[in-house]
Amino acid sequence: MEEHGGDATTTNTELEDNGAGNMKIKVSFGSNSFDVFTTPQSTFGDLKCVIAKATGLDPKVQNLLFRGKEMDDHEILQMAGVKENAKVILIEHAPTKNEDLEQVEEFKENNEEVSRAEESKENIEEASRGEEYKENIEEVSRGLEAVYRVREENSQFEEQVVSLETVVCSGTQVADKDFIFLTEMLMRQLLKLDGIDAEGEGRTQRKLEVRRVQGLVEKLDNLRAKNSNPNSNVSDDHPLPPSSSKVDQECELS
């Protein structure tokens, strides 16, 4: 699988509706898109099996996102709000980057050295209580550090969204692949955030970043629609954070 493309053998095709009461679901996989049919009572796990027939992609390596959220296999489509012609994004599961693992291991090693130095100055009872306290602090710190790393990446992606918005609002046509690539990168950011085990302040900051990325995805969808039909009046109910409000105003005037 390429970085921002898919190996799906079906492009802009439609699978046959083999049963009454089935609903059509639009699946976006990299630069490919196709339609599948299933019942509203099916689970996302069932949907993965249907998608596997179209793409050859094992359900175990499929991540399905609906409305910017990764869905669990046991969740029922109808209960999750999936309706006729709903859009689901398919992403092939990718392992965590080695550099992220190295940073986590380095952070653990530094904290272990501090723990050993303090234990040498305390008796067994005091060291035991101190170790328990430090483990709680380290758990919160690790989650917060992970969120901050993703936040830095999100800021770079936000700058790219602002740049695209400026170009689209100026009336210049943008290649559709630019929207597809950036949307997929933002979806991967949501997966990163979902995989962070954070407590306390880390959990709060993670929620804020999830909302931020979801807003950027919504913004890209609107810009993509405006780019494909410059004369249309595409509404924007999900503006970017304050840093890009100026560009939003320019777009509304265009």
Side-chain angles (χ1 to χ4, degrees):
M1 178 178 174
E2 298 177 355
E3 179 63 23
H4 50 85
D7 287 335
T9 58
T10 305
T11 304
N12 295 324
T13 60
E14 181 173 300
L15 301 181
E16 293 296 327
D17 184 356
N18 296 322
N22 284 0
M23 63 179 179
K24 181 170 69 175
I25 298 177
K26 298 181 180 297
V27 181
S28 176
F29 183 27
S31 61
N32 300 322
S33 62
F34 53 92
D35 297 337
V36 297
F37 293 87
T38 188
T39 64
Q41 292 75 31
S42 298
T43 64
F44 280 88
D46 297 331
L47 180 58
K48 287 183 178 181
C49 293
V50 176
I51 293 174
K53 296 179 181 179
T55 63
L57 195 63
D58 193 314
K60 294 180 180 179
V61 299
Q62 294 181 30
N63 285 324
L64 295 182
L65 289 90
F66 177 61
R67 295 177 178 173
K69 176 184 177 183
E70 182 181 8
M71 309 306 294
D72 293 331
D73 288 353
H74 69 273
E75 294 189 76
I76 299 175
L77 301 179
Q78 187 177 48
M79 298 300 294
V82 178
K83 300 179 181 179
E84 181 74 10
N85 290 320
K87 179 182 178 182
V88 174
I89 295 179
L90 168 64
I91 295 179
E92 184 177 5
H93 174 71
T96 306
K97 293 182 179 179
N98 291 334
E99 58 186 32
D100 289 339
L101 291 175
E102 291 175 357
Q103 291 177 352
V104 172
E105 291 300 323
E106 182 180 357
F107 186 83
K108 288 181 179 179
E109 292 175 359
N110 291 337
N111 282 312
E112 288 173 356
E113 291 177 0
V114 172
S115 297
R116 287 193 295 267
E118 293 181 351
E119 287 174 359
S120 63
K121 299 177 183 179
E122 300 174 347
N123 57 42
I124 296 177
E125 182 179 357
E126 291 175 341
S128 177
R129 291 197 301 266
E131 184 65 23
E132 181 179 356
Y133 174 77
K134 281 182 293 189
E135 286 178 357
N136 293 333
I137 295 298
E138 289 172 8
E139 182 177 359
V140 173
S141 179
R142 283 194 296 268
L144 195 57
E145 286 289 334
V147 172
Y148 284 160
R149 287 197 297 270
V150 176
R151 173 179 292 175
E152 291 179 0
E153 296 173 356
N154 290 342
S155 296
Q156 296 177 6
F157 288 126
E158 181 179 340
E159 291 178 0
Q160 296 181 44
V161 173
V162 172
S163 297
L164 277 179
E165 187 175 22
T166 302
V167 174
V168 172
C169 292
S170 69
T172 303
Q173 193 75 12
V174 178
D176 195 55
K177 65 179 181 180
D178 292 338
F179 293 101
I180 294 174
F181 172 75
L182 194 50
T183 298
E184 182 171 341
M185 291 299 101
L186 288 171
M187 289 302 177
R188 291 183 184 275
Q189 294 301 99
L190 285 175
L191 291 177
K192 282 186 181 181
L193 290 168
D194 187 59
I196 295 176
D197 186 11
E199 298 294 337
E201 180 63 19
R203 176 178 294 182
T204 300
Q205 295 301 320
R206 183 183 63 184
K207 288 181 179 179
L208 291 175
E209 283 305 299
V210 167
R211 293 173 185 170
R212 179 189 185 189
V213 175
Q214 289 174 339
L216 292 173
V217 171
E218 294 290 344
K219 170 63 67 176
L220 278 175
D221 285 343
N222 289 333
L223 288 175
R224 187 178 182 185
K226 183 177 181 63
N227 182 69
S228 62
N229 187 7
N231 295 326
S232 66
N233 185 15
V234 180
S235 62
D236 186 359
D237 297 330
H238 302 275
L240 285 174
S243 61
S244 57
S245 59
K246 180 178 180 180
V247 181
D248 286 343
Q249 295 173 1
E250 295 175 356
C251 191
E252 293 174 356
L253 295 175
S254 62

